[in-house]
């Protein structure tokens, strides 16, 4: 059991490293990601590499093709912004229901996740904040008490995970995100579904705008070129 847990942790860490290289343009669309080469580079077996690539494929970051393996997928800034628009709509629907339907337990879970975000913010730990931020949003989805909506919103949240992580590195974004969370919780606690939806929509849509700006700036930088 311990071995399986360790392997899952290795796969997750490897996925995070690879997804950052993809979203920052270090790995260009069309690049073939060779399992053996990656296993050698990261000093791991091919099994966690394969698992990481499968997770990246489920997030739409790579395509797994017969006889070619994993290929970095094409994702234009316009396409990504469209995905953030859909994400903002799903989140707004979730928080609107959460404001109306949440229980005291639901609210405590949201507040507990926010407290962890606050702690990560004070420590200046972007990666910890990203993971606690995920807990915060998942707690809101659960508080909607609509299982289908929760499943769909969670899936989209995971698909955009790499991009949400990257935009948190923008100057001042961690503080803004924390402050936006506070406003969202305030609206949920007050049962103001319209205000909660408005605030969470703005919270998510700005992530797409920040990410588009990041990609535009990264595209002007010289990045290492990899051969297929």
């Amino acid at each position: 059991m311990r071995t399986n847990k360790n392997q899952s942790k290795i796969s997750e860490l490897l996925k995070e490293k690879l997804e950052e290289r993809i979203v920052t343009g270090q790995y260009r669309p069309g690049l073939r990601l060779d399992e053996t080469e990656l296993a050698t580079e990261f000093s791991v077996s091919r099994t966690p590499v394969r698992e990481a690539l499968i997770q990246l494929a489920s997030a739409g970051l790579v395509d797994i093709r017969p006889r070619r393996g994993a290929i970095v997928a094409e994702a234009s800034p316009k396409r990504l912004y469209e995905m953030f628009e859909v994400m903002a709509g799903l989140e707004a629907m979730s928080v609107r229901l959460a404001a109306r339907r949440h229980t005291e337990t639901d609210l405590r879970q949201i507040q507990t996740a926010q407290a962890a975000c606050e702690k990560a913010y004070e420590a200046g730990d972007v990666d910890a904040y990203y993971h606690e931020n995920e807990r915060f949003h998942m707690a809101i989805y659960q508080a909607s008490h609509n299982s289908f909506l929760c499943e769909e919103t969670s899936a989209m949240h995971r698909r955009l995970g790499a991009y949400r992580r990257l935009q948190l590195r923008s100057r001042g974004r961690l503080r803004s995100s924390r402050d936006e969370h506070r406003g969202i919780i305030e609206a949920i606690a007050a049962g103001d579904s319209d205000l909660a939806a408005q605030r969470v929509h703005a919270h998510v849509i700005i992530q797409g705008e920040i990410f588009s700006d990041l990609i535009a700036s990264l595209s002007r930088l010289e990045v290492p070129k990899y051969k297929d």
Side-chain angles (χ1 to χ4, degrees), residues 28-88:
R28 296 291 192 183
L31 176 74
R32 186 171 69 87
L33 301 178
D34 184 88
E35 287 184 13
T36 302
E37 291 178 2
L38 290 172
T40 300
E41 177 183 354
F42 292 103
S43 301
V44 297
S45 70
R46 290 179 60 182
T47 300
V49 173
R50 189 175 301 114
E51 290 177 356
L53 292 175
I54 290 172
Q55 291 180 56
L56 292 172
S58 68
L61 293 175
V62 303
D63 296 323
I64 297 180
R65 304 175 185 174
R67 296 183 295 280
R68 288 203 69 195
I71 308 296
V72 176
E74 181 76 48
S76 68
K78 179 177 182 295
R79 173 74 169 177
L80 289 169
Y81 186 74
E82 289 173 347
M83 291 169 67
F84 272 103
E85 286 185 317
V86 172
M87 182 79 253

Side-chain angles (χ1 to χ4, degrees), residues 103 157 166 186 218:
T103 64
H157 184 103
L166 184 62
E186 180 183 55
L218 287 168

